Amino acid sequence: LVNEKVRDLKQLLAPMYRKRDGGKKRGPEAVRGYAGECEGTPLARPLGPGQEAVAVTTIEKACVAVSRLAAENRLHELCAVVVDELHMVGDEDRGATLEAALAKLRFHERTRRRDAANRGEKIPPCQIT
């Protein structure tokens, strides 16, 4: 399933990257899939300026990535999290893993908003759903 989503997203996003990069074929490198043990850990290293990436992961890899980003205070690097198959939260085997990752993201967002409010900053509304 991860490989299928990666293929579809590469095809969908390739024109955007070619246009931005002056016709270079950067699109396929911007989308990477992570499943099983051989692909490594998603977002293990910070990305440099202009190095946006789309990481398509399994539930387990997503949980590892969110935990690592939280531990390294790097959750702010995420600009969007899309959860396909959200009904898996109710799954006996994998639901708790997905719920843990989503709970960490929600906690980070609430903490970020509270800290900004304490500093008197105004934050535009953003919801992790």
Side-chain angles (χ1 to χ4, degrees):
L1 187 59
V2 168
N3 292 334
E4 181 182 316
K5 298 289 182 189
V6 168
R7 185 183 67 243
D8 293 345
L9 283 170
K10 282 182 180 181
Q11 185 176 3
L12 180 71
L13 297 176
M16 177 183 70
Y17 282 103
R18 277 196 298 271
K19 181 177 180 181
R20 191 178 77 184
D21 294 341
K24 298 176 187 170
K25 293 189 178 187
R26 185 178 174 274
E29 295 136 23
V31 180
R32 292 203 48 205
Y34 299 91
E37 296 179 12
C38 59
E39 284 90 0
T41 303
L43 309 172
R45 294 182 311 269
L47 299 174
Q51 290 184 318
E52 307 89 7
V54 176
V56 179
T57 71
T58 60
I59 291 171
E60 294 78 13
K61 290 279 186 170
C63 191
V64 168
V66 167
S67 295
R68 171 176 278 175
L69 291 172
E72 296 174 357
N73 284 332
R74 292 178 45 217
L75 278 173
H76 64 277
E77 293 178 17
L78 298 176
C79 66
V81 175
V82 178
V83 180
D84 190 13
E85 309 283 339
L86 185 59
H87 67 276
M88 292 294 289
V89 168
D91 185 75
E92 288 181 17
D93 296 325
R94 303 170 76 199
T97 305
L98 176 57
E99 187 174 359
L102 295 174
K104 288 176 189 175
L105 291 170
R106 289 197 67 197
F107 177 79
H108 170 75
E109 179 63 18
R110 287 182 179 174
T111 302
R112 184 183 72 85
R113 286 175 175 271
R114 184 197 66 224
D115 293 346
N118 289 341
R119 290 189 303 267
E121 297 174 13
K122 296 197 180 204
I123 301 176
C126 175
Q127 195 85 23
I128 296 178
T129 57

